[in-house]
Amino acid sequence: MNTEKDFSPLTPNIVRALNDKLYEKRKVAALEIEKLVREFVAQNNSAQIRHVIQILATEFALSQHPHSRKGGLIGLAACSIALGKDSGLYLKELIDPVLTCFNDSDSRLRYYACEALYNIVKVARGAVLPHFNVLFDGLSKLAADPDPNVKSGSELLDRLLKDIVTESNKFDLVAFVPLLRERIYSNNQYARQFIISWIHVLESVPDINLLDYLPEFLDGLFQILGDSSKEIRRICEVVLGEFLKEIKKNPSSVKFAEMANILVIHSYDLIQLTSMTWMREFIQLAGRVVLPYSSGILTAVLPCLSYDDRKKSTKEAASACNHSLMKLVTPEDDVDDEESQTKSSPQSDGSPSKKESDLNGKSYCRISTRSLICCVLCSSDRPAVTLDLDGIVQVLDRHLHDSSTGMMTRIAVLKWLYHLYIKTPRKMFKHTDSLFPMLLKTLSDESDEVILKDLEVLAEIASSPAGQTDASGSCNNSDSKTELHIPGGVRDGQPVTDLSPSTPSMNSYFYKFMINLLKRFSLERKLLEMRGAFIIRQLCLLLHAENIFHSMADILLKEEDLKFASTMVQTLNTILLTSAELFQLRNQLKDLRTQESCALFCCLYRSWCHNPVATVSLCFLTQNYRHAYDLIQKFGDLEVTVDFLMEVDKLVQLIESPIFTYLRLQLLDVEHNPYLIKALYGLLMLLPQSQAFQLLSHRLSFLMLSKQEDPKAPVKDKRLAQPHIDYSELLQHFDRVQSKHLEVRHQRAGRSEHPDRKL
């Protein structure tokens, strides 16, 4: 430094001492400067004070010589001490050169800068608050300083500044939040610790309402929560916990909508529990305000429902979120878009655009807080809340298609679909054609509970009035391109499409469901074998059993795969005769007292003809004993196979079951049930010498045959011929069906004998 230069009012001795390499001499110079400035203060000579500060800043603190810079720093601190309460008038001139030295490459000089600033702030106290942002910015850099002495000095300064902010009621939060939002994305652990500590302090000050600005930096907080440092995560958890307490205390002032997607995009491992906890509280406190973001919330929540006990807390929080969110969907969400637009404000008043709505439903990637806030701005002020149904269905459908989706998640997805079909049927039927194939595929799931929930959804689709066909035969509110061939008929001179008179509520999807269910059984024989009875029995509980059997019988009547038709009839017949769910239907068929019950019997009979033994059992159930006898007479013309005899064996076992108690009791009335006895003897003659033969033979041996006085007298039959049933036509139909089966078997036999022959 040029010692000949004029530094007045600083004396040459002061200048030399400030430039000295020894700290003691620089300290002596600082004391002289302090004395000099006090004199200027006493004289109220502000011009000279500013001149001294300017010399110390430009000629010393910003000098190229390291010792000069150190002297300038201690000189500026001395000026501040001398100024006392008046230092606030000169703070910018005092602080700026010191902060510049924070970036010096010399760690000792950075330490002296930190020490000088500490003394300046200590004297000024509350007067430094207008300069808080620059002080915070400088301290955030020193917090990550590699030198331990510098870090130690910055921590002392940091604590002092926090004390000042805590004591003051003049902190400018509005000016500080943009800086906080920028600095909170630092990846340095020390910088993160510094920032989170300041948020903690500001949140604890009663006069500072940091909650209003939480959407600005919540995204950064959740990023810090994922830090690798356990201590930083702990502090961040404490801060977030305090904010959540404040939210619960003052929910009316919270900007839930602006923070909803922030929680969604942070639902990954390290911070999942916290985000789920916040989501749960948001949904419960904000209510329908979060509905526009429901698809994003479900994206985060649904996978958590399949967690095991190692993540029990996260799973429970996610389950609570899911349950609360589901409760928010109400019938009012089924209003047409046009109607809701007329009831709500124009888009210029804050309604979300389609682009914004799409973002809410597809928040699968990390986005910045600023862009997020822009996209949800003012959403909490909307007079009407729109359910993002398309987004929700997309999320649910994606989880159903994903083979890695856990069982509990699949169950939750199906519960959601069922709930949406109940609450918003008109809008949901627009999605039915896209959902239908996957719902059918889900019937092959390995979980019975999943299948049961899936059947509930399919049953609701099949029976909902929203899916009724209009005059053109297409579903209301449906974009279905599948032509439904519903069997027609005539009732009271009028054409009808629903052949089941007791269940007029079934819609076109019911028959479509039955067709596709049977097709699935045909393609997946293992599904039919393992779960067929379970699925059909549950459907009989969820829908009318009569409708299930009526429609399946009608479809099987046109089935080209005769072997499958026979197997399916055998399955349906076993369910009809043995399942408790079919008790009412069995009673309806037992007496055939009404025209409707006779029509149902004829419908079942025509399909049951695919399986002769099942046809006989249906006649036993309906007490058509003479017709059963006539059928058994025809068995002599059929191809008797081992499978056929096994079916007869099972029928004998069924006759001994509680289902046919009434039949066994009718054997006591020999006079009025001769064809029943003849039919049973016919079965006995069909059986080889087996256990079933012995069982039936033993039963018939107890009959007390009454003596018939006139052997030429006509046989009396207690059951009168039904006027609504043409039994001769039924026998002819039986013959035609069996002829088809025989022809198919011969063709198969021919192919097996001549494998090289092309048909």
Side-chain angles (χ1 to χ4, degrees):
M1 176 176 289
N2 186 5
T3 56
E4 296 179 359
K5 192 174 181 179
D6 183 17
F7 292 103
S8 59
L10 298 182
T11 65
N13 290 335
I14 292 176
V15 172
R16 279 194 301 272
L18 286 176
N19 286 309
D20 200 281
K21 65 179 180 179
L22 295 177
Y23 172 75
E24 289 77 10
K25 291 187 178 181
R26 295 196 299 271
K27 187 174 182 180
V28 171
L31 292 174
E32 290 297 322
I33 292 172
E34 182 180 344
K35 186 186 301 183
L36 180 64
V37 172
R38 287 185 190 277
E39 292 176 1
F40 291 145
V41 171
Q43 299 168 8
N44 198 22
N45 192 344
S46 60
Q48 283 290 66
I49 295 172
R50 292 188 186 278
H51 187 52
V52 170
I53 294 174
Q54 184 181 7
I55 292 173
L56 290 172
T58 57
E59 301 297 335
F60 289 89
L62 302 179
S63 170
Q64 297 297 319
H65 196 279
H67 298 315
S68 298
R69 292 201 295 274
K70 294 173 185 175
L73 290 171
I74 197 170
L76 290 171
C79 288
S80 178
I81 293 171
L83 288 168
K85 64 180 181 179
D86 293 331
S87 63
L89 301 172
Y90 310 92
L91 275 177
K92 180 173 176 57
E93 295 91 332
L94 290 168
I95 289 173
D96 285 352
V98 177
L99 289 174
T100 302
C101 292
F102 277 11
N103 300 318
D104 199 282
S105 59
D106 186 350
S107 61
R108 291 291 298 168
L109 202 138
R110 294 198 302 273
Y111 173 77
Y112 285 131
C114 191
E115 185 181 57
L117 190 57
Y118 179 87
N119 288 315
I120 294 171
V121 172
K122 186 176 181 181
V123 172
R125 302 295 295 182
V128 302
L129 289 179
H131 308 277
F132 178 81
N133 277 14
V134 293
L135 295 175
F136 181 88
D137 184 52
L139 273 175
S140 66
K141 297 173 183 176
L142 290 186
D145 199 285
D147 188 272
N149 292 324
V150 177
K151 281 186 62 179
S152 178
S154 69
E155 288 171 0
L156 287 173
L157 177 57
D158 182 51
R159 284 197 291 270
L160 174 61
L161 201 56
K162 285 174 180 173
D163 289 341
I164 294 171
V165 171
T166 304
E167 295 168 359
S168 175
N169 59 359
K170 297 180 181 179
F171 182 74
D172 189 354
L173 187 60
V174 176
F176 171 65
V177 167
L179 178 62
L180 174 62
R181 186 176 64 230
E182 178 186 345
R183 288 283 183 257
I184 202 169
Y185 288 103
S186 172
N187 292 324
N188 185 280
Q189 288 188 350
Y190 297 108
R192 284 182 163 184
Q193 193 166 13
F194 169 78
I195 291 166
I196 198 70
S197 67
W198 265 103
I199 294 175
H200 194 192
V201 168
L202 293 174
E203 198 276 332
S204 64
V205 178
D207 294 332
I208 297 177
N209 188 9
L210 200 57
L211 189 61
D212 286 346
Y213 301 90
L214 184 57
E216 299 274 350
F217 56 88
L218 182 63
D219 177 67
L221 276 178
F222 272 97
Q223 289 206 27
I224 293 177
L225 188 61
D227 194 275
S228 58
S229 169
K230 185 177 180 180
E231 179 62 20
I232 293 176
R233 292 200 305 270
R234 185 192 65 80
I235 299 172
C236 193
E237 285 175 359
V238 171
V239 171
L240 286 168
E242 292 298 322
F243 275 122
L244 196 55
K245 288 180 183 177
E246 288 297 317
I247 289 172
K248 292 179 182 179
K249 290 179 183 178
N250 306 290
S252 59
S253 62
V254 179
K255 300 173 183 177
F256 291 105
E258 295 184 17
M259 294 185 282
N261 265 350
I262 298 176
L263 301 180
V264 171
I265 63 177
H266 286 291
S267 57
Y268 52 92
D269 290 342
L270 290 175
I271 60 176
Q272 204 165 51
L273 175 58
T274 305
S275 64
M276 287 299 154
T277 303
W278 277 64
M279 276 188 205
R280 178 187 63 199
E281 298 299 335
F282 272 33
I283 295 169
Q284 293 176 353
L285 295 171
R288 289 179 58 84
V289 171
V290 302
L291 268 185
Y293 317 102
S294 49
S295 58
I297 294 173
L298 282 176
T299 300
V301 166
L302 288 173
C304 302
L305 300 178
S306 293
Y307 284 169
D308 54 25
D309 288 341
R310 288 175 295 180
K311 294 184 178 180
K312 184 178 180 181
S313 299
T314 304
K315 180 179 179 179
E316 290 175 350
S319 180
C321 284
N322 184 59
H323 181 69
S324 299
L325 186 63
M326 190 179 291
K327 288 170 64 177
L328 297 180
V329 182
T330 62
E332 69 182 84
D333 294 307
D334 204 25
V335 178
D336 289 336
D337 294 338
E338 293 80 4
E339 295 178 43
S340 68
Q341 286 176 4
T342 58
K343 293 180 181 179
S344 62
S345 307
Q347 189 166 318
S348 59
D349 292 339
S351 297
S353 65
K354 185 179 186 302
K355 183 176 180 181
E356 294 168 350
S357 179
D358 290 343
L359 175 63
N360 297 332
K362 302 174 183 177
S363 301
Y364 311 130
C365 59
R366 182 70 52 82
I367 57 178
S368 68
T369 306
R370 183 172 302 186
S371 63
L372 178 66
I373 289 171
C374 288
C375 96
V376 297
L377 191 61
C378 299
S379 57
S380 59
D381 299 326
R382 290 196 305 269
V385 175
T386 304
L387 176 68
D388 180 22
L389 187 62
D390 292 349
I392 292 176
V393 171
Q394 183 181 5
V395 172
L396 298 175
D397 187 51
R398 187 173 66 251
H399 279 88
L400 272 185
H401 276 84
D402 189 353
S403 58
S404 63
T405 301
M407 182 189 74
M408 296 308 297
T409 299
R410 295 199 301 277
I411 291 173
V413 167
L414 293 167
K415 285 182 177 179
W416 260 102
L417 289 173
Y418 181 76
H419 184 72
L420 291 173
Y421 272 109
I422 293 293
K423 299 297 182 181
T424 60
R426 290 196 299 167
K427 288 186 176 181
M428 276 302 294
F429 264 90
K430 297 176 182 179
H431 300 278
T432 299
D433 285 319
S434 62
L435 290 171
F436 205 67
M438 195 60 219
L439 289 171
L440 287 166
K441 185 177 179 180
T442 305
L443 291 174
S444 302
D445 197 278
E446 50 189 36
S447 166
D448 285 350
E449 192 171 354
V450 172
I451 294 175
L452 184 57
K453 294 300 176 185
D454 190 38
L455 288 172
E456 289 179 0
V457 178
L458 288 166
E460 182 59 30
I461 291 173
S463 60
S464 174
Q468 293 284 8
T469 54
D470 56 25
S472 63
S474 61
C475 258
N476 292 335
N477 298 322
S478 176
D479 299 326
S480 174
K481 296 180 181 179
T482 304
E483 185 179 358
L484 302 176
H485 299 285
I486 304 177
V490 177
R491 186 180 302 143
D492 297 330
Q494 298 295 325
V496 294
T497 57
D498 182 6
L499 295 181
S500 182
S502 64
T503 55
S505 63
M506 296 299 113
N507 58 46
S508 58
Y509 275 100
F510 171 79
Y511 203 75
K512 182 179 181 181
F513 175 30
M514 293 297 105
I515 292 173
N516 284 277
L517 178 60
L518 289 174
K519 185 181 297 183
R520 194 152 197 89
F521 284 151
S522 176
L523 297 174
E524 296 185 38
R525 297 299 174 89
K526 188 175 181 181
L527 174 64
L528 175 60
E529 179 184 345
M530 302 298 295
R531 300 289 180 80
F534 171 73
I535 290 173
I536 295 170
R537 286 167 55 198
Q538 293 302 322
L539 283 175
C540 289
L541 288 175
L542 295 168
L543 301 168
H544 290 275
E546 178 186 349
N547 230 31
I548 300 295
F549 274 75
H550 196 293
S551 58
M552 285 191 170
D554 186 81
I555 296 166
L556 288 171
L557 189 60
K558 306 174 184 66
E559 177 60 50
E560 295 180 357
D561 185 346
L562 299 184
K563 185 175 182 181
F564 166 70
S566 177
T567 303
M568 194 66 222
V569 165
Q570 183 182 2
T571 302
L572 290 171
N573 187 66
T574 302
I575 296 170
L576 176 63
L577 295 179
T578 61
S579 298
E581 295 85 353
L582 277 297
F583 175 79
Q584 185 175 353
L585 186 59
R586 283 196 296 271
N587 281 345
Q588 183 179 344
L589 289 168
K590 187 181 294 184
D591 295 326
L592 299 181
R593 293 178 179 175
T594 64
Q595 182 178 352
E596 288 78 10
S597 61
C598 291
L600 177 60
F601 164 73
C602 292
C603 177
L604 296 181
Y605 180 95
R606 288 184 170 85
S607 289
W608 260 234
C609 287
H610 283 297
N611 189 296
V613 179
T615 312
V616 170
S617 66
L618 179 64
C619 291
F620 281 157
L621 175 66
T622 56
Q623 302 183 66
N624 278 300
Y625 302 134
R626 180 167 184 171
H627 193 70
Y629 171 72
D630 291 339
L631 286 173
I632 293 172
Q633 289 288 94
K634 291 179 175 290
F635 281 9
D637 299 328
L638 302 180
E639 182 180 358
V640 178
T641 63
V642 174
D643 290 339
F644 178 86
L645 292 176
M646 289 178 64
E647 290 180 30
V648 176
D649 188 295
K650 291 177 182 177
L651 176 57
V652 172
Q653 302 291 339
L654 277 174
I655 291 173
E656 296 296 322
S657 70
I659 296 295
F660 283 112
T661 300
Y662 68 92
L663 182 148
R664 298 195 300 273
L665 289 175
Q666 286 173 350
L667 292 174
L668 297 174
D669 189 358
V670 176
E671 182 180 359
H672 291 96
N673 295 287
Y675 287 105
L676 170 59
I677 298 170
K678 288 185 177 184
L680 292 177
Y681 270 109
L683 290 179
L684 186 65
M685 294 303 103
L686 286 171
L687 286 169
Q689 297 287 329
S690 62
Q691 183 179 357
F693 178 89
Q694 299 296 333
L695 187 65
L696 185 55
S697 176
H698 190 64
R699 168 74 64 185
L700 294 173
S701 67
F702 282 95
L703 295 178
M704 298 296 293
L705 297 175
S706 60
K707 185 177 180 180
Q708 191 170 334
E709 296 179 357
D710 184 3
K712 295 182 180 180
V715 177
K716 299 178 181 179
D717 192 345
K718 185 176 181 180
R719 174 177 286 281
L720 298 176
Q722 292 293 339
H724 308 299
I725 300 176
D726 185 350
Y727 288 100
S728 61
E729 190 277 330
L730 292 181
L731 281 175
Q732 292 173 10
H733 177 79
F734 179 84
D735 290 337
R736 289 193 297 270
V737 172
Q738 291 308 309
S739 296
K740 289 182 181 179
H741 277 267
L742 184 61
E743 181 181 350
V744 169
R745 282 196 292 271
H746 286 168
Q747 289 176 353
R748 288 175 180 169
R751 284 198 296 269
S752 63
E753 292 175 4
H754 306 282
D756 297 330
R757 186 176 63 186
K758 294 183 180 180
L759 298 180

